[in-house]
Amino acid sequence: RVHITRTEEDTAPFALRRVEAFYRPFNLAPRIQTIQVQRPAVRLSSNRRELSIAASGKGSKGKKSMKPYMRSVKWKVADPNGDKVLSTVYLRLEGEREWEKITDDELDGTAIVWETLSIPDGTYRLKVVVNDSPANFSSEVKSCSRVSSAFTVDNSAPEITALTAVVKKGRKLHISGTARDSASRILNVEYSLNGDYYKALGPKDGLFDSSQEDFTAVIKLKRGKPARSIAVKAFDEYGNITNERIFIRKGSGSLKR
């Protein structure tokens, strides 16, 4: 609304042709809509700009070949004012209270490739903190944060214990042992006889559904092909593999190489 005041002497006709106003919109806080932590070695879409975060926390731009210990993380931010935002990423082991920063500097992007070699196996969460400081006065900066769902870091191979391979009556090879992993479930167990192709070795309870699985098998040996050694591989669900080999003996017992 415009108020115009005229003096009595000012009788000339007039017209209001333009009004120019200056204003600054009220700053509203950004909002993190989603955080996604990908499974190991899964890269984000090829056109997304990523920052690689090494185990030391240092960042480097450009794409690296994905390794099993590398995790892609992306988050989606909406800012009501359309402001440019900066992000910081923190990490916390499940059950702990303190957050540890994994990025040395604030990030102007919304995706990283994170090397997890510097932390122990376990269950973790990430927290992303976003602020709109690039577009606002320091007294008016708004920020927000969001915590991811829990995810597992597992960079250690399973272990195979109590592995035995014994030839008993009827030329039957009895194999048994235990596969165990510290952070995730055992996904599969395989065996190779005398360096041949690997074949599936089933769990004793019929289902690979836990971090410790007992396995057993009875194999009918062919005549003229003596059983000399057997190798067993165990896989966890995060792609880590271990391999154990023993020499086969007749009767009871085995000799580990």
Side-chain angles (χ1 to χ4, degrees):
R1 186 170 59 177
V2 179
H3 294 274
I4 299 175
T5 303
R6 304 181 64 187
T7 64
E8 293 182 359
E9 294 79 12
D10 187 5
T11 58
F14 72 95
L16 181 64
R17 301 187 183 279
R18 189 179 74 172
V19 174
E20 189 175 65
F22 297 90
Y23 73 99
R24 186 158 55 89
F26 183 73
N27 188 32
L28 301 175
R31 184 167 62 92
I32 302 172
Q33 297 176 320
T34 60
I35 302 176
Q36 295 182 7
V37 182
Q38 304 292 336
R39 289 187 64 84
V42 175
R43 183 176 290 285
L44 302 175
S45 58
S46 59
N47 59 350
R48 179 181 288 271
R49 186 164 62 91
E50 300 170 351
L51 182 72
S52 295
I53 305 298
S56 63
K58 300 293 184 181
S60 61
K61 295 182 179 180
K63 293 187 180 297
K64 291 184 176 181
S65 58
M66 295 296 287
K67 307 295 184 183
Y69 54 81
M70 300 175 75
R71 305 293 285 265
S72 294
V73 183
K74 64 178 179 179
W75 53 99
K76 185 177 181 181
V77 180
D79 188 277
N81 304 101
D83 293 339
K84 182 179 179 180
V85 298
L86 297 176
S87 303
T88 307
V89 185
Y90 298 83
L91 172 74
R92 186 179 69 186
L93 180 65
E94 196 79 328
E96 293 187 352
R97 299 182 62 181
E98 299 298 323
W99 291 94
E100 178 182 354
K101 188 163 65 170
I102 66 171
T103 53
D104 282 349
D105 304 312
E106 291 183 311
L107 312 175
D108 59 2
T110 57
I112 60 172
V113 174
W114 169 43
E115 296 182 9
T116 62
L117 288 176
S118 63
I119 61 174
D121 293 351
T123 302
Y124 292 85
R125 293 180 189 267
L126 290 177
K127 179 173 72 171
V128 178
V129 179
V130 170
N131 69 76
D132 58 7
S133 59
N136 294 280
F137 301 131
S138 59
S139 59
E140 298 181 0
V141 170
K142 301 290 185 179
S143 64
C144 67
S145 65
R146 188 180 181 115
V147 177
S148 73
S149 300
F151 61 94
T152 298
V153 171
D154 183 1
N155 294 320
S156 301
E159 61 173 340
I160 297 172
T161 59
L163 179 59
T164 62
V166 183
V167 177
K168 296 185 178 181
K169 182 182 286 190
R171 297 188 57 79
K172 292 182 179 179
L173 175 61
H174 294 251
I175 306 170
S176 64
T178 300
R180 182 185 297 108
D181 192 81
S182 61
S184 63
R185 72 182 179 93
I186 299 297
L187 183 66
N188 193 25
V189 178
E190 299 176 350
Y191 77 93
S192 169
L193 183 62
N194 295 335
D196 202 353
Y197 294 109
Y198 277 90
K199 299 178 181 179
L201 188 56
K204 195 173 182 178
D205 62 2
L207 186 65
F208 287 115
D209 60 354
S210 68
S211 61
Q212 178 172 317
E213 295 287 353
D214 296 325
F215 55 85
T216 183
V218 178
I219 302 167
K220 179 68 173 178
L221 299 175
K222 296 180 180 179
R223 291 189 177 276
K225 291 187 177 181
R228 297 182 300 273
S229 66
I230 189 166
V232 175
K233 290 197 298 188
F235 305 75
D236 68 24
E237 62 178 317
Y238 286 90
N240 302 300
I241 306 172
T242 192
N243 194 319
E244 290 287 340
R245 180 171 176 250
I246 60 173
F247 292 113
I248 299 169
R249 299 180 67 183
K250 293 182 179 179
S252 61
S254 64
L255 178 64
K256 188 171 180 179
R257 198 179 94 170

